[in-house]
Amino acid sequence: MNPVLASRLANIAPFHVMELAKMAAELERQGRSIIHMGIGEPDFTAPPPVIEAATRAMADGKLQYTSATGIPALREAIAAHYQNVYGLQVAPSRIIVTAGASAALLLACAALVEKGAEVLMPDPSYPCNRHFVAAFEGLAKMIPSGPEQRFQLSDAMVREHWSERTGGVLLASPSNPTGTSIPHDELSKIVGTVREKGGFTIVDEIYQGLSYDEVPFSALSLGEDVIVINSFSKYFNMTGWRLGWLVVPEFMVPQVEKLAQNLFICASSIAQHAGIACFSPQSLAIYEERKAEFKRRRDYIVPAMRALGFKVPVTPDGAFYVYADCSSISDDADSLTIAMLNEAGVVLVPGLDFGPYTARQYIRLSYATSMENLEEAMARLNKFLVRIRR
Ligand SMILES: Cc1ncc(COP(=O)(O)O)c(C=O)c1O
């Protein structure tokens, strides 16, 4: 007889993007050509200086557990990056190296989410966020956030939805799935409100290096009490290495350290040694070139999607996503993405993953693929749309 599974599993939804990826893989096995614009993963991989540092770490036998908070040289390199790029002084002791932003989010939620407490977040949001909260028996309160709010929470919305059950807010800027950022003044007001209420603010800055229009800033500039998540997966092109970090107030460090010791022991030691090389001038020059390429793609794809008849009500200013309103084409984004996969060979993700508010009306496109692929995808979608509009 099978064991009885924990009831909390009922609160965890599958990741539809992965289901579509599985369907796409099956079509590829049958010999179909598929263009992938579903999963949010850079098409670039770690640059040569990072690969060399990883190879060196292996040759030098740096292959054992590290301390749970990460190797000091990497924590110092991250702190120096905050100083060099954002003019911010962040003590290395406040930086905890993790297995990607995923582990950082898990640690932050483990440390802050009380059983039964509400955590405010926009709808749409990164799907795992509500599940991290659910894993610790908190309640993700998803607040409908449309294009008028750049799909983000405003200070007024935080005030309106705060109750005595609210523990804090979980935000991402730039956001997945919308690629939109929270303006500095608005975020500053939100942090002030949450502080006044005695709650916590977690800001996921995983797409921070990929900001195309505004002068980028870190929420760390708004006070030591703001908890910041970051990662080597996106700007640093290291998805499979599983490396990220969390910045917490000094008083939380021993608490998060004991959680990290118990939950993970440490992040991959090879990845940590390689991660230091991300901050060398050679690597940063490569990353900035790649960022310029992402911006070039964004500037191509947004008008191209609009020309096809999708509405893109807010031009994304960061990350590598376009969140497009498909309601003039179909009233069911889910079946539209399945038809686009089967008939046009293009993978896009329905809004369903990101929360109920925009589930049927929106699709997410990831432009983390070559210009050639993007142009081919637009041509295929054009043919598909001409066919279904007949
Ligand atoms: C907003 C956001 N946060 C966290 C993650 C998890 O990233 P990581 O690979 O660093 O665990 C992702 C991945 O897509 C993301 O989009």
Side-chain angles (χ1 to χ4, degrees):
M1 208 171 107
N2 291 332
V4 177
L5 299 178
S7 55
R8 75 174 61 85
L9 282 178
N11 297 325
I12 312 284
F15 215 168
H16 288 91
V17 59
M18 295 300 186
E19 301 294 321
L20 272 159
K22 257 201 286 186
M23 288 163 65
E26 182 48 40
L27 290 175
E28 279 173 325
R29 255 195 303 279
Q30 295 165 15
R32 288 275 307 276
S33 147
I34 303 292
I35 299 177
H36 293 268
M37 298 197 294
I39 289 180
E41 174 162 62
D43 49 325
F44 304 112
T45 54
V50 176
I51 306 283
E52 282 153 26
T55 312
R56 229 177 9 256
M58 280 194 273
D60 294 347
K62 293 177 173 164
L63 299 167
Q64 290 169 305
Y65 291 143
T66 71
S67 76
T69 49
I71 56 176
L74 180 57
R75 299 168 81 192
E76 280 157 20
I78 294 168
H81 190 65
Y82 279 119
Q83 177 71 64
N84 298 339
V85 179
Y86 303 99
L88 280 175
Q89 271 199 318
V90 181
S93 56
R94 292 176 53 208
I95 297 167
I96 291 154
V97 176
T98 57
S102 304
L105 282 160
L106 197 70
L107 287 172
C109 289
L112 293 160
V113 177
E114 198 60 85
K115 184 174 176 179
E118 283 174 356
V119 179
L120 309 185
M121 59 183 78
D123 179 354
S125 273
Y126 176 57
C128 305
N129 286 352
R130 58 185 191 272
H131 299 137
F132 287 128
V133 170
F136 295 102
E137 299 180 60
L139 303 166
K141 185 165 177 187
M142 300 193 71
I143 302 171
S145 309
E148 316 72 45
Q149 293 91 21
R150 304 179 58 74
F151 303 104
Q152 293 278 9
L153 295 189
S154 64
D155 180 50
M157 289 156 87
V158 171
R159 285 186 182 278
E160 185 191 335
H161 292 273
W162 197 281
S163 75
E164 70 268 18
R165 288 206 298 166
T166 309
V169 297
L170 174 48
L171 308 166
S173 183
S175 138
N176 174 5
T178 64
T180 55
S181 302
I182 311 177
H184 181 278
D185 287 357
E186 198 63 39
L187 187 58
S188 173
K189 281 196 231 159
I190 294 175
V191 168
T193 297
V194 175
R195 194 176 283 144
E196 179 191 305
K197 309 269 187 200
F200 59 81
T201 304
I202 303 173
V203 185
D204 182 349
E205 296 188 337
I206 186 169
Y207 296 103
Q208 179 179 56
L210 299 172
S211 221
Y212 309 119
D213 301 329
E214 310 294 330
V215 181
F217 68 97
S218 169
L220 291 170
S221 62
L222 301 174
E224 199 184 305
D225 53 348
V226 180
I227 289 115
V228 163
I229 310 284
N230 213 317
S231 174
F232 288 83
S233 288
K234 311 292 174 167
Y235 175 73
F236 297 104
N237 312 150
M238 291 174 72
T239 45
W241 300 66
R242 311 310 302 130
L243 195 64
W245 72 90
L246 172 67
V247 187
V248 296
E250 203 69 66
F251 85 92
M252 277 178 68
V253 173
Q255 304 299 329
V256 176
E257 182 173 7
K258 82 181 177 196
L259 281 168
Q261 288 164 344
N262 281 281
L263 294 177
F264 306 110
I265 299 187
C266 64
S268 151
S269 75
I270 299 169
Q272 291 190 58
H273 286 282
I276 298 168
C278 289
F279 303 104
S280 72
Q282 300 94 302
S283 299
L284 289 173
I286 296 170
Y287 289 130
E288 285 301 299
E289 267 171 38
R290 292 175 176 182
K291 173 183 169 177
E293 174 59 17
F294 278 132
K295 178 177 186 302
R296 196 168 81 89
R297 294 174 187 175
R298 193 262 327 238
D299 293 343
Y300 163 74
I301 202 77
V302 172
M305 287 290 282
R306 285 178 178 148
L308 288 181
F310 293 95
K311 273 183 253 152
V312 183
V314 192
T315 300
D317 56 83
F320 33 64
Y321 305 112
V322 179
Y323 206 49
D325 179 340
C326 58
S327 55
S328 64
I329 298 164
S330 163
D331 57 6
D332 180 4
D334 206 15
S335 45
L336 181 65
T337 52
I338 293 172
M340 289 194 292
L341 169 60
N342 286 324
E343 293 171 42
V346 177
V347 190
L348 299 170
V349 191
L352 192 63
D353 265 340
F354 309 103
Y357 182 55
T358 53
R360 292 191 157 278
Q361 201 185 335
Y362 278 82
I363 52 169
R364 188 194 74 178
L365 169 156
S366 160
Y367 55 85
T369 186
S370 67
M371 267 307 257
E372 202 186 346
N373 277 345
L374 294 179
E375 284 168 358
E376 171 63 18
M378 292 302 106
R380 290 186 189 185
L381 288 183
N382 187 31
K383 266 198 216 152
F384 166 79
L385 292 170
V386 167
R387 213 167 43 241
I388 64 166
R389 279 179 181 134
R390 244 186 233 141

